Amino acid sequence: MTVGVLALQGSFNEHIAGMFSYSGRLYFCFSLKRLGVIGVEVRKAEQLQNVSALIIPGGESTTMAKLAGYHNLFPALREFVKMGKPVWGTCAGLIFLADKAIGQKSGGQELIGGLDCTVHRNFFGSQLQSFESEVSVPEIAAIEGGPPSFRGVFIRAPGILEVGPEVQVLAEVAVQSGGTANFDSVVESSEENSGSEKNVIVAVKQGNLLATAFHPELTADIRWHSYFLKMVKETSDEASSSTASATKIISLLPGPPKYDLPIYQQ
């Protein structure tokens, strides 16, 4: 199994190598390499042909979009998604996968799309408002085991405002009114989210797409990467099954027609 990591900008190395530096100290976390999976950097469209799945890491989404446009990657990335290949977007990667994004810089940015949701680009505020929080993850805990919560690292993180009917919500965080720079202006009141505290969606899944507003690659918790790799394996197994079924069908098709013609003799 080979998983590509879009390596234009951002935390692509953290997904592959399992280490990062902060304030002069070196930290080790779970990554593809430590899970025994081959992770390769993807910078060109043709490299997508050699990977089973793709991770779009966190980073500066506008810069990543400009670089992807410069290298003409968007058509190939959209085709990769349409083919049903598993794709996981973290933070900026979530923005890339969304069908609609608001709160963008002047002029906006190009998106890959495919994920039926609307995201706010910097919902949780600026770099100075970055934070860590325990996030309830019942689906992940049910499949991967471990505690019912996950330590989410939110760095100038987006928030998911709306999701379509086929999108599965995997995690939410409670946010106090006025607790973020964009809270009151973009979150509408509802019976479920009444009062001064509202739940904001921060992780979703739709078919072959997985997206998190936080950075699992910056923690030592293996479960999100393991969850994604299970998606990759399931997709691979389905593809193998489809190929086997197609081969069986072809083998059952009648051969060329046989004609009982008279034999001409001199």
Side-chain angles (χ1 to χ4, degrees):
M1 182 189 299
T2 301
V3 176
V5 182
L6 192 63
L8 300 176
Q9 189 265 347
S11 59
F12 59 87
N13 190 60
E14 285 80 352
H15 280 286
I16 296 174
M19 64 181 68
F20 65 97
S21 61
Y22 180 74
S23 298
R25 298 180 63 183
L26 190 63
Y27 294 83
F28 291 88
C29 52
F30 282 101
S31 67
L32 299 174
K33 183 177 180 180
R34 297 182 68 186
L35 288 170
V37 176
I38 299 173
V40 297
E41 298 178 4
V42 173
R43 293 187 178 89
K44 298 180 180 179
E46 55 266 28
Q47 293 174 313
L48 291 171
Q49 301 175 11
N50 303 318
V51 299
S52 305
L54 182 70
I55 296 175
I56 305 176
E60 212 295 313
S61 60
T62 304
T63 301
M64 291 171 65
K66 288 180 179 179
L67 290 170
Y70 177 80
H71 292 287
N72 196 31
L73 273 167
F74 278 106
L77 290 169
R78 292 190 185 106
E79 184 61 26
F80 195 86
V81 169
K82 290 179 181 178
M83 289 172 61
K85 297 290 187 71
V87 181
W88 175 18
T90 63
C91 197
L94 158 61
I95 299 171
F96 262 48
L97 290 176
D99 282 342
K100 182 180 179 181
I102 66 174
Q104 301 182 35
K105 292 182 179 179
S106 177
Q109 68 181 65
E110 196 168 358
L111 304 174
I112 297 169
L115 186 60
D116 186 10
C117 71
T118 300
V119 303
H120 190 289
R121 181 175 175 271
N122 288 135
F123 178 84
F124 289 99
S126 67
Q127 189 81 17
L128 293 176
Q129 293 170 297
S130 299
F131 65 97
E132 295 184 21
S133 176
E134 290 295 327
V135 181
S136 178
V137 288
E139 168 77 5
I140 300 301
I143 294 178
E144 301 296 333
S149 65
F150 180 90
R151 190 69 177 175
V153 180
F154 294 82
I155 303 175
R156 201 171 58 171
I160 302 173
L161 307 182
E162 298 177 342
V163 297
E166 297 183 1
V167 176
Q168 180 184 5
V169 175
L170 299 180
E172 298 176 296
V173 295
V175 179
Q176 294 291 330
S177 178
T180 78
N182 302 296
F183 182 88
D184 294 314
S185 61
V186 297
V187 180
E188 298 178 354
S189 297
S190 66
E191 183 177 348
E192 180 182 357
N193 283 335
S194 60
S196 61
E197 185 177 88
K198 304 182 190 297
N199 290 328
V200 178
I201 302 170
V202 293
V204 293
K205 177 186 177 185
Q206 181 185 355
N208 58 309
L209 304 180
L210 177 68
T212 55
F214 46 89
H215 291 263
E217 77 278 10
L218 299 183
T219 75
D221 195 327
I222 194 175
R223 292 179 293 167
W224 281 97
H225 283 82
S226 178
Y227 184 81
F228 180 63
L229 293 178
K230 283 185 174 65
M231 289 175 55
V232 179
K233 187 177 185 304
E234 288 173 2
T235 302
S236 177
D237 290 345
E238 289 174 1
S240 299
S241 177
S242 298
T243 301
S245 298
T247 302
K248 183 176 181 180
I249 291 172
I250 291 173
S251 68
L252 294 175
L253 292 175
K258 296 180 180 180
Y259 299 100
D260 190 13
L261 299 175
I263 300 174
Y264 175 76
Q265 293 180 338
Q266 290 185 337

